[in-house]
């Protein structure tokens, strides 16, 4: 089930272990903890109840804090990317393309979404952060996905009017805005995806 949750008494100790590993600047231990947590609790619960809240409260307010935040983010990315990944036996992309909006460099949410799809035996074409709109259009024309999920972390990159224009150019593709950076698209554009469960369901639908 997409809505399976961890008990609160399990989520808090998991956050504590991850925080301690990040404060030790041990990104490899962070990755191992994230990998184990995803295997035990499921990717959606691990992300929504442990990783995302911890990332949101780990502030890089000084030099030491920036290093801790970096270790946490990098370890989380590596752990999510390692989850159920076998480069020798890739899963079919199943018509799903993930990318960061132009100039958007923070796309951990897409790594979580890719991991959640692999958990369900589905692959995706993940093109990474900061994909220029022209490159996205070229990729969609070549790969012909049925679903595109674009991530924006900051209002500086979440330009809803660009999404509306992109959807008009590719009317046969379901285009979803994900991440907190987007200004709310105008109807009839689909509402912004606000959770990993919603994003996973949107990719699996149809």
């Amino acid at each position: 089930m997409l809505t399976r949750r961890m008990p609160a008494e399990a989520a808090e100790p998991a956050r504590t272990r991850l925080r301690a590993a990040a404060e030790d600047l041990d990104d490899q231990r962070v990755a191992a903890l994230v990998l184990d947590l995803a295997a035990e609790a499921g990717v959606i619960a691990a992300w929504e109840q442990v990783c995302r809240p911890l990332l949101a409260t780990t502030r890089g307010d000084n030099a030491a804090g920036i290093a801790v935040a970096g270790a946490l983010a990098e370890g989380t990315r590596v752990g999510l990317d390692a989850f159920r990944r076998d480069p020798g036996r890739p899963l079919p992309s199943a018509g799903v393309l993930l990318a960061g909006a132009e100039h958007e460099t923070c796309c951990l949410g897409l790594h979580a979404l890719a991991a959640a799809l692999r958990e369900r035996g589905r692959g995706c074409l993940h093109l990474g952060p900061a994909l220029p709109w022209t490159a996205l259009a070229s990729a969609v024309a070549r790969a012909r996905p049925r679903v595109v999920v674009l991530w924006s972390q900051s209002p500086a990159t979440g330009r809803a009017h660009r999404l509306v224009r992109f959807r008009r150019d590719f009317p046969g593709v379901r285009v979803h805005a994900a991440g907190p950076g987007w200004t709310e698209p105008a109807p009839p554009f689909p509402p912004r995806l606000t959770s990993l469960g919603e994003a996973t369901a949107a990719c699996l639908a149809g």
Side-chain angles (χ1 to χ4, degrees):
M1 289 178 58
L2 294 181
T3 56
R4 181 162 63 104
R5 290 182 59 82
M6 295 174 62
E9 59 270 20
E12 181 55 37
R15 287 193 293 268
T16 299
R17 290 191 295 272
L18 273 182
R19 186 183 298 110
E23 289 173 349
D24 288 341
L25 301 184
D26 191 343
D27 62 322
Q28 293 298 316
R29 182 152 55 101
V30 171
L33 288 168
V34 169
L35 188 57
D36 288 346
L37 184 62
E40 293 168 7
V43 173
I44 292 176
W47 174 256
E48 295 287 2
Q49 295 179 251
V50 178
C51 298
R52 188 166 77 163
L54 188 56
L55 287 159
T57 56
T58 303
R59 304 295 185 185
D61 296 329
N62 51 45
I66 290 171
V68 170
L72 177 61
E74 178 63 9
T76 299
R77 182 192 66 80
V78 171
L80 290 169
D81 283 351
F83 180 75
R84 295 197 182 175
R85 181 186 290 277
D86 182 354
R89 300 175 62 187
L91 294 167
S93 66
V96 175
L97 187 153
L98 313 180
E102 189 169 62
H103 306 304
E104 180 55 72
T105 60
C106 181
C107 291
L108 273 176
L110 291 184
H111 293 273
L113 177 54
L117 291 173
R118 287 196 302 275
E119 186 175 33
R120 289 155 182 81
R122 305 286 285 273
C124 64
L125 174 59
H126 187 182
L127 297 181
L131 193 70
W133 288 100
T134 53
L136 177 63
S138 175
V140 169
R142 291 180 60 190
R144 300 185 181 279
R146 58 182 180 81
V147 178
V148 171
V149 178
L150 289 173
W151 182 275
S152 169
Q153 188 72 21
S154 162
T157 63
R159 306 295 175 83
H161 71 278
R162 296 299 300 269
L163 278 173
V164 173
R165 186 188 313 168
F166 183 83
R167 191 184 188 212
R168 185 175 61 241
D169 292 342
F170 295 94
V173 180
R174 295 205 313 273
V175 183
H176 293 279
W182 297 104
T183 54
E184 199 65 44
F189 202 80
R192 179 171 60 88
L193 301 173
T194 59
S195 72
L196 182 55
E198 285 181 356
T200 304
C203 291
L204 296 175

